[in-house]
Every structure is written in C-alpha cells, then in structure tokens.
Amino acid sequence: MTVGEMLVATVPMARTLNLEFLETTPERAVVRLPDQPEYHNHVGGPHAGAMFTLAESASGAIVIAAFGDQMSRAVPLAVKAEIGYKKLAMGEVTATATLGRPIADVVAQLDAGERPEFPVAIEIQRADGAVTGEMTVVWTLRPNR
C-alpha cells in the first residue's frame, strides 16, 4: 500500500476531499486538491479549511514516508500548525511538504528515549505556480510505552 493509499484509507477527511497524492518520499510529499465547487469559498476558490486539510495531509504523508519504519514503536502526532494565506487561490491547488530536520536526528532522539519534535514546511500553489499559502506543522513521534 502506498503512503497516499494508506492516508486515504485511514484519514476519512483526505478521502472526502478527493486528495491526490502525487509524490510521497522521505524528502518531499506533493498532494493536489482538485477544483471542486462543493469545497469553494465565497469568492469561488478552494475554502481555507480545504487548503488547511490539503497542507496538513501533505505534511502527514512526508512524516509517514520518512518515519514509517518507526511506527511499531512510536505514533506520529501533529503538535501545532500555523498557516498563512498569501494570495487568492483559484482552481486546483497543490501542497508540497518538506521536513525541517534530518531523519537521522529525529530517530536518534527517539532511540534516546525522548519524544522528538520536528517541523514540516508546506507551500500551497495554484496551477500557475503562484504560492497562495504557507504552512508549518510541528509533529512529534510519541513513543509507545
């Protein structure tokens, strides 16, 4: 099962929005929100809540891709998120997520019995490449005790 298939199977909101997981590697996750009128806002673009879910889902995809081998001993959890809407988004939008810390550093903290935290940066873009939003989600790997 791919990371995208796993997320769609286990996170109903990702399935509800018909998110498309285009790339999911430990280095980068790219997720697209198709243009769907039922998720538009008052100006005809994607609703802020849909874009938040898109970006958060991209961050979750990279976390699973980067730390999937740690799932038997830790649960990934979002700690906090901050989003900024920069330009009007219209049509389909794509979120690209990148890890803010090296995987080895996070795993070393987990190995030391700590609960590591790490940021994931996400850019949301229109089809023309314009950045319409930026989000940071801080994740943790909560050890199973």
Side-chain angles (χ1 to χ4, degrees):
M1 183 178 283
T2 68
V3 170
E5 290 168 341
M6 183 187 321
L7 274 169
V8 168
T10 59
V11 181
M13 187 63 151
R15 186 172 51 251
T16 299
L17 290 176
N18 301 307
L19 298 180
E20 300 168 359
F21 293 82
L22 306 178
E23 180 182 341
T24 52
T25 69
E27 292 77 33
R28 191 169 106 123
V30 181
V31 182
R32 180 172 44 224
L33 173 65
D35 186 22
Q36 302 167 88
E38 60 270 30
Y39 302 116
H40 281 179
N41 58 21
H42 63 290
V43 294
H47 189 278
M51 288 190 292
F52 184 99
T53 300
L54 167 69
E56 195 275 342
S57 296
S59 76
I62 199 169
V63 168
I64 290 172
F67 302 107
D69 60 340
Q70 303 300 318
M71 298 298 174
S72 63
R73 65 181 185 143
V75 176
L77 298 169
V79 175
K80 63 183 174 180
E82 184 175 343
I83 192 166
Y85 301 101
K86 307 294 183 186
K87 291 185 179 186
L88 184 61
M90 298 298 282
E92 71 177 36
V93 289
T94 303
T96 302
T98 55
L99 282 177
R101 285 185 63 198
I103 294 168
D105 291 355
V106 174
V107 173
Q109 266 193 282
L110 193 59
D111 289 343
E114 299 174 21
R115 184 175 169 165
E117 289 190 2
F118 52 93
V120 176
I122 309 101
E123 274 194 348
I124 304 169
Q125 295 181 314
R126 296 186 303 226
D128 67 3
V131 175
T132 64
E134 296 174 337
M135 184 174 184
T136 300
V137 180
V138 175
W139 285 84
T140 189
L141 295 179
R142 185 190 74 198
N144 299 334
R145 301 202 195 263

